[in-house]
Amino acid sequence: HQSKDEDVTPMLPPAPSLYTVHILAYPVPPPRRLTGTPPNSKGVQDCAPNNRHHNRSSDPHPIAITAATTSLNDAIVEVSESSYPILKALKDDNFQAFSVKIADLLLTINPEKLGKSIELAVDVLDSPPPEKFDQFNSVLKEAFTDLKIDSCTLVPLPPLSIVDRFQAIAVDRVPSAKLKTFEDTWKPSLSALSGSKTDAAICLPPAATLDKLSLAQADLGRSFGSAESKAFGSYTTPMLRQSITLSRVFPLINDAKKLAPTATVGEKAAFQAAGKKIELASKTEVAKGRVVAAEARNAETRAVFATRAAAQEEKRASDIALAKANSDPAVIQAKKEAAKKVAEEEKAAQAAKLEATIAANKAAKEALMK
């Protein structure tokens, strides 16, 4: 939860690799009105990768490196690497039971409010430009092409019963056109996973591959529209505060500790430490973003003032030139002669008008006498 005066840009999740593996697991449902939930229907995802990206020189899909993002992307890789043994240690029954409890908690939220939050999330997920999706899908396809469910390490996914419940709310509350756009946008990503998952589990890529996938996912998240992200955060954060109290969340902590029972104490500690680093790195990047935005606003303001100053200087120079010209004896004499000529022309015009009037009156009088 963020305070009111904090930036509403979505913060990085503590485990980008966990998000990478799980979030894109289910295809999007067709935009239709539900009268019942088919047992094998797939669900609309109301969240997606939201990390940051930085490319290493060894990556096959290079993306520009900047000093401002190096620390964050190093943190992303550290989280990815430290989460790997945790993912491998996830126990199917524990994870799915925990997922159901999380879903039960979220589904206590007013359906209208939850549906609105899902709709805003869809807006965020559809906001990156096509070239960003192309880059991400290229890395995603490369990561999962050779992974087959009969020979890979499988990690559990949330049960389809959860997906169906969220799907029902999404189809009932989100405009069908948005769901169709969402389906079309993410279809290539989901297709890349089709041969590497079942309804209950998905293949876990090798650690090095998962690092690259986390970074590609981060780059996609960095391209989320700022307006869409702000709208989602501004609505969802206070809605969650009002709908779900901490007292209802605390009982889940013990369940979370049981998700990976075979992970060692050292592995869990490393994962927690990496999570703290990425949170700090994320906040640092948000702060840097604010500075950059402020500098841009200041530069724009300076440009406006410079334009105004230039216009004022131009007018001042024009006024000086005009005043100087008006004080020139030749100019003064020319103006006098011009004024005299105008006066003479006006006088001649008045005289001609008077003569014409007299002639007209005389003609009218002679006509009456006849």
Side-chain angles (χ1 to χ4, degrees):
H1 288 191
Q2 296 166 305
S3 62
K4 292 182 179 180
D5 57 346
E6 284 183 337
D7 195 291
V8 296
T9 303
M11 297 298 291
L12 298 176
S17 50
L18 183 64
Y19 271 58
T20 306
V21 173
H22 288 130
I23 294 305
L24 297 178
Y26 297 107
V28 184
R32 56 186 174 82
R33 186 68 56 180
L34 289 183
T35 55
T37 305
N40 293 322
S41 60
K42 307 282 193 289
V44 174
Q45 295 298 327
D46 63 348
C47 57
N50 186 25
N51 294 335
R52 306 293 172 128
H53 168 73
H54 170 65
N55 179 63
R56 291 183 172 185
S57 58
S58 60
D59 288 350
H61 306 280
I63 300 175
I65 300 175
T66 61
T69 60
T70 300
S71 176
L72 178 57
N73 287 290
D74 286 346
I76 290 172
V77 171
E78 184 173 344
V79 169
S80 175
E81 293 174 348
S82 64
S83 68
Y84 199 81
I86 306 297
L87 290 171
K88 292 181 69 175
L90 287 176
K91 187 176 180 182
D92 295 3
D93 293 343
N94 290 1
F95 178 80
Q96 294 205 344
F98 183 74
S99 299
V100 170
K101 290 183 179 181
I102 294 293
D104 287 341
L105 183 60
L106 291 174
L107 289 166
T108 61
I109 298 173
N110 179 288
E112 182 177 355
K113 294 181 178 179
L114 184 57
K116 180 63 176 178
S117 182
I118 293 174
E119 179 181 354
L120 293 172
V122 167
D123 291 340
V124 174
L125 297 177
D126 286 340
S127 63
E131 60 270 17
K132 288 298 183 180
F133 281 109
D134 291 342
Q135 289 176 341
F136 173 71
N137 289 333
S138 179
V139 178
L140 187 67
K141 184 177 180 180
E142 181 179 306
F144 282 90
T145 294
D146 297 329
L147 297 179
K148 305 302 177 184
I149 57 176
D150 57 352
S151 59
C152 71
T153 299
L154 291 170
V155 293
L157 293 169
L160 285 179
S161 59
I162 293 177
V163 177
D164 292 340
R165 293 163 72 186
F166 282 102
Q167 173 191 338
I169 293 177
V171 174
D172 187 54
R173 302 288 177 176
V174 180
S176 60
K178 286 192 177 184
L179 293 182
K180 181 62 169 63
T181 299
F182 181 66
E183 178 184 8
D184 293 341
T185 299
W186 287 91
K187 186 176 181 179
S189 304
L190 297 168
S191 296
L193 304 176
S194 59
S196 306
K197 74 178 188 66
T198 66
D199 287 344
I202 188 170
C203 289
L204 179 65
T209 302
L210 199 61
D211 289 348
K212 295 179 181 179
L213 188 56
S214 297
L215 292 172
Q217 173 188 293
D219 184 58
L220 182 65
R222 184 178 279 116
S223 68
F224 286 162
S226 58
E228 292 84 355
S229 297
K230 184 174 183 179
F232 173 75
S234 297
Y235 179 85
T236 302
T237 298
M239 183 272 289
L240 288 176
R241 284 201 194 103
Q242 295 169 5
S243 303
I244 300 178
T245 61
L246 291 178
S247 62
R248 300 172 63 191
V249 176
F250 283 141
L252 298 175
I253 295 178
N254 287 332
D255 293 327
K257 294 178 180 178
K258 302 174 184 177
L259 292 178
T262 61
T264 67
V265 174
E267 290 169 340
K268 293 178 181 179
F271 178 63
Q272 291 175 349
K276 293 179 180 179
K277 288 182 181 179
I278 200 171
E279 182 178 359
L280 177 60
S282 176
K283 290 180 178 179
T284 300
E285 180 157 300
V286 169
K288 290 179 179 178
R290 288 174 177 168
V291 171
V292 171
E295 290 176 347
R297 289 193 298 269
N298 291 338
E300 183 178 352
T301 300
R302 289 193 296 270
V304 170
F305 279 115
T307 301
R308 290 178 181 175
Q312 291 173 351
E313 178 61 25
E314 184 178 354
K315 184 177 182 304
R316 188 180 72 86
S318 177
D319 291 342
I320 291 174
L322 180 60
K324 184 177 181 180
N326 289 337
S327 64
D328 188 307
V331 173
I332 294 174
Q333 182 61 33
K335 286 185 175 181
K336 287 181 179 180
E337 292 177 355
K340 181 179 179 181
K341 184 178 180 180
V342 170
E344 290 175 349
E345 290 175 350
E346 289 179 352
K347 184 177 180 180
Q350 290 175 354
K353 183 178 180 181
L354 180 59
E355 289 179 1
T357 301
I358 293 173
N361 290 338
K362 183 179 180 181
K365 185 176 180 182
E366 289 176 351
L368 290 174
M369 290 178 67
K370 292 180 179 180

